[in-house]
Amino acid sequence: MRENGGVALYRDDGIVLRTQDLGEADRIITVLTRRTGRIRAVGKGVRRTKSRFGARLEPFTHVDLLLYEGRSLDIVTQADSLRAYGEPLASDYPRYTAGVAMLETAERFTPEERQPAQRQFLLLVGGLRALGEGEHGARLVLDAFLLRSLAVAGYAPALEECAVCGSPEVSAVRGHGGSRAFAIAAGGLTCRSCRPAGAATPSAHTLALMGALLRGDWPHADASLPRHQVECSGLVAAYLQWHLEHSIRSLRHVEHV
């Protein structure tokens, strides 16, 4: 529905990223939707105890929304909960904080409102589902989400060839040989000739773990040692911060392993 009695109506489903109180009873809801992209809308009266759908408009909730377009903010007229991803995370601090970091990252990777970002939306849904199922470590799931979000945005780290010259000398993804110089500003691994001053020298196992997380190779990732997971998380966080030019504030609360 796009037009109904002079009011532009539309329906979309999305993940609630965050909320902000407005006035005495309203709330601004930031949602990453499947088709429209990131939107901000007002939930009228949702903070009242008798609100029809206040509880459905909380962070982590996958909701089906009916909205009409306002001048600056859209208005939620109907909200149906599809899945509450926050429920299995509420009693698990590591998974909850990892989920909060995912929501913040998804918002940061969709800086413009109403720009379709279906791949980022699907990544977020998959990441929250994986967190809730608990089959993999919370930090591994988060790092996989961060790396894939970077890849969707065009910032995937070079792990199979030199980020500067394209040399295949770097071969840390499927094997453990090659150069282990990881230069964040250069875009990933660099060969010996292109290695800049100050480049990190992570373990070959850590680099292989990064590749496994990008590929979705969970048997490899789950079998990795804690020290390599910690080193991987540090590289991923630094690389993410470099490309976003600002840190993800919620990452400081995430437990490494």
Side-chain angles (χ1 to χ4, degrees):
M1 292 181 292
R2 296 304 301 179
E3 197 71 32
N4 184 4
V7 177
L9 288 167
Y10 68 99
R11 183 182 294 276
D12 209 342
D13 67 293
I15 301 292
V16 179
L17 302 179
R18 64 185 175 94
T19 64
Q20 177 184 348
D21 290 347
L22 178 67
E24 294 183 358
D26 302 340
R27 185 169 283 161
I28 298 174
I29 317 296
T30 300
V31 187
L32 178 58
T33 67
R34 184 184 300 271
R35 292 178 292 276
T36 312
R38 183 174 60 82
I39 63 170
R40 292 191 306 148
V42 176
K44 294 285 188 179
V46 298
R47 291 160 56 201
R48 296 193 179 103
T49 56
K50 295 183 179 181
S51 170
R52 290 179 298 137
F53 46 73
R56 305 170 193 171
L57 297 175
E58 293 294 332
F60 294 109
T61 306
H62 188 183
V63 287
D64 181 71
L65 298 171
L66 181 65
L67 310 100
Y68 70 82
E69 297 179 7
R71 292 185 177 181
S72 57
L73 296 170
D74 295 347
I75 307 297
V76 177
T77 62
Q78 181 178 322
D80 295 311
S81 178
L82 300 177
R83 184 166 180 175
Y85 286 105
E87 289 182 359
L89 309 181
S91 60
D92 190 319
Y93 181 78
R95 294 188 183 280
Y96 175 78
T97 53
V100 171
M102 284 185 183
L103 298 185
E104 184 181 351
T105 300
E107 182 171 4
R108 295 292 298 280
F109 271 117
T110 53
E112 296 185 26
E113 294 184 17
R114 296 189 170 280
Q115 292 297 314
Q118 189 175 66
R119 292 180 67 189
Q120 183 64 56
F121 167 79
L122 293 175
L123 273 177
L124 181 59
V125 170
L128 293 177
R129 182 186 297 117
L131 269 184
E133 290 173 349
E135 294 183 7
H136 313 292
R139 189 64 202 231
L140 285 176
V141 173
L142 174 59
D143 287 339
F145 171 80
L146 298 179
L147 284 166
R148 294 177 196 180
S149 292
L150 283 160
V152 166
Y155 302 130
L159 297 175
E160 297 183 320
E161 59 185 21
C162 176
V164 178
C165 71
S167 168
E169 176 188 335
V170 294
S171 56
V173 174
R174 305 187 191 283
H176 301 308
S179 170
R180 294 207 307 271
F182 190 92
I184 291 172
L189 291 177
T190 63
C191 65
R192 293 176 177 84
S193 299
C194 298
R195 174 176 181 160
T201 309
S203 163
H205 295 284
T206 297
L207 296 172
L209 172 58
M210 290 181 69
L213 293 175
L214 266 173
R215 298 192 308 273
D217 183 354
W218 286 106
H220 184 139
D222 290 335
S224 59
L225 296 178
R227 66 176 182 272
H228 299 140
Q229 295 179 23
V230 170
E231 188 173 41
C232 175
S233 294
L235 287 177
V236 171
Y239 191 80
L240 178 72
Q241 179 174 326
W242 171 268
H243 285 287
L244 288 179
E245 298 182 354
H246 296 283
S247 63
I248 299 297
R249 291 176 296 177
S250 50
L251 274 181
R252 72 188 67 174
H253 303 296
V254 177
E255 296 183 5
H256 286 287
V257 176

